[in-house]
Amino acid sequence: MSVLSREYFHNEAAAFEHVESILWPHGPACPHCGNMGRIYKLDGVFSKPSKKNPEGVERHGLKKCAECRKQFTVRIGTIFEESHIPLHKWLQAIHLMCSSKKGISSNQLHRVLEITLKSAWFLSHRIREAMREGNLGPIGGNGKTVEVDETYFGKKSGPAPTMTTRGKPFTKGGKTGPSHKRAILGLVERGGAVRTFHVERANKENVAQLVTHNVHHESVVYTDESVLYRDMSNTFADHQATKHSAGEYVRYEGGAVIHSNTIENYFSVFKRGMKGIYQHCSEKHLHRYLAEFDFRYNNRVGLGVDDKERAIHALNGIVGKRLTYRSAYSA
């Protein structure tokens, strides 16, 4: 039997029951007043007749609070709010995005779900918002290793710079030049989570600030020989670097295996997904795509999370992340 043959992927009533079981494990809670006591279930209620649906559409999952007397469904206060897309199609989209290692394009969602391309694009951005994790503590810790590296993907908007980050002019015809690409900083704990950032400018100050705030100071940090990381020995328990320019990508010292291959492998998956699946991403949306790839890596099979659990984790992140089309388009 196919994974997508589960009832909540095809039946709207079952889809509401599935989401309610995840968001309301102890029973429904009114999103208007917070009441969890007397709440009534309203069955057989239909929306107003329309040209598309002359008899109206049944309002599944509709409830009424006995305290504030307001009606609500589990959609209120989530990424599903005010969406006309059936909930079971939302669940299909979440499963597809969570189970596809390199993502699934809006064009593909548009064809599979039989919704408009505009709706598919907005739907995918709402799901990425649910995948975004905020207010996280530092990664690593005593006895743990964190790899740090930066990469560049896609052209930045606006004119290319004429000076280097050190204030020197670019040389003509040489190896140096204004790459004018978007900078991404990545931190990964070996055997643990990854965290990536789109930085406006990858200089020593910006990188040091992000690494200092997001990595436990008791951690051992491994990087390449870039000048961005030269002063980290004063901040962390230890800092070692491999010299890529000399062909050194891994070094063994005692019982330590020094390399930054884990974060580079992550960047490899990210770039293959961005180039092969999404093909184009404007700079203002880059942080959402980074959140999507971070989410899948942090909820991977290697950490004991399968596709079904990964989709449930995404559903746990839908509350309080209302995203309107205008804010998504202009963000």
Side-chain angles (χ1 to χ4, degrees), residues 17-123:
E17 290 177 3
H18 178 66
V19 177
E20 288 174 6
S21 68
I22 296 170
L23 299 188
W24 295 337
H26 305 295
C30 177
H32 304 294
C33 68
N35 171 44
M36 294 184 65
R38 295 168 58 205
I39 292 176
Y40 305 105
K41 185 179 179 181
L42 303 179
D43 293 320
V45 179
F46 286 76
S47 64
K48 293 181 180 179
S50 64
K51 188 175 182 180
K52 184 178 180 181
N53 300 288
E55 297 180 357
V57 178
E58 186 175 0
R59 300 183 64 186
H60 295 283
L62 186 63
K63 294 173 175 57
K64 185 173 182 178
C65 176
E67 296 292 333
C68 66
R69 310 300 296 173
K70 292 182 179 179
Q71 296 181 1
F72 64 92
T73 70
V74 74
R75 284 177 177 257
I76 302 297
T78 72
I79 62 171
F80 306 140
E81 187 170 351
E82 298 298 329
S83 170
H84 295 287
I85 300 172
L87 190 59
H88 70 273
K89 288 194 175 185
W90 272 100
L91 296 182
Q92 290 179 34
I94 289 173
H95 180 84
L96 290 170
M97 288 186 67
C98 288
S99 60
S100 304
K101 185 173 183 178
K102 298 179 181 69
I104 181 169
S105 69
S106 297
N107 269 293
Q108 186 70 24
L109 289 174
H110 148 65
R111 294 192 297 270
V112 171
L113 302 179
E114 296 184 334
I115 58 178
T116 66
L117 179 58
K118 178 179 176 180
S119 295
W121 179 86
F122 184 33
L123 171 143

Side-chain angles (χ1 to χ4, degrees), residues 139 145-152 184-197 207 211 215 220-226 229 240-242 244 249 257-272 290 293-294 297-298 300:
I139 61 175
T145 300
V146 176
E147 298 178 20
V148 182
D149 196 16
E150 86 286 351
T151 191
Y152 300 87
I184 299 169
L185 178 70
L187 321 170
V188 64
E189 179 185 322
R190 287 190 182 174
V194 72
R195 198 170 298 176
T196 55
F197 307 88
V207 169
V211 176
V215 179
V220 174
V221 173
Y222 293 157
T223 67
D224 57 25
E225 77 273 29
S226 172
Y229 315 114
Q240 298 291 334
T242 50
H244 291 181
Y249 294 93
V257 183
I258 302 168
H259 65 75
S260 55
N261 295 337
T262 311
I263 186 63
E264 289 181 6
N265 289 341
Y266 171 84
F267 285 146
S268 175
V269 173
F270 169 75
K271 289 183 177 181
R272 280 176 170 81
L290 287 171
F293 281 86
D294 284 0
Y297 184 89
N298 295 339
R300 61 189 184 276

Side-chain angles (χ1 to χ4, degrees), residues 185 187 197 203-215 217 228 232 236:
L185 178 70
L187 321 170
F197 307 88
N203 55 28
K204 205 169 183 180
E205 293 74 21
N206 291 344
V207 169
Q209 184 180 27
L210 283 171
V211 176
T212 301
H213 282 83
N214 288 276
V215 179
H217 293 185
L228 298 174
M232 291 191 176
F236 300 99

Side-chain angles (χ1 to χ4, degrees), residues 243-257:
K243 197 170 183 179
H244 291 181
S245 59
E248 182 188 55
Y249 294 93
V250 60
R251 186 171 74 253
Y252 300 92
E253 287 186 1
V257 183

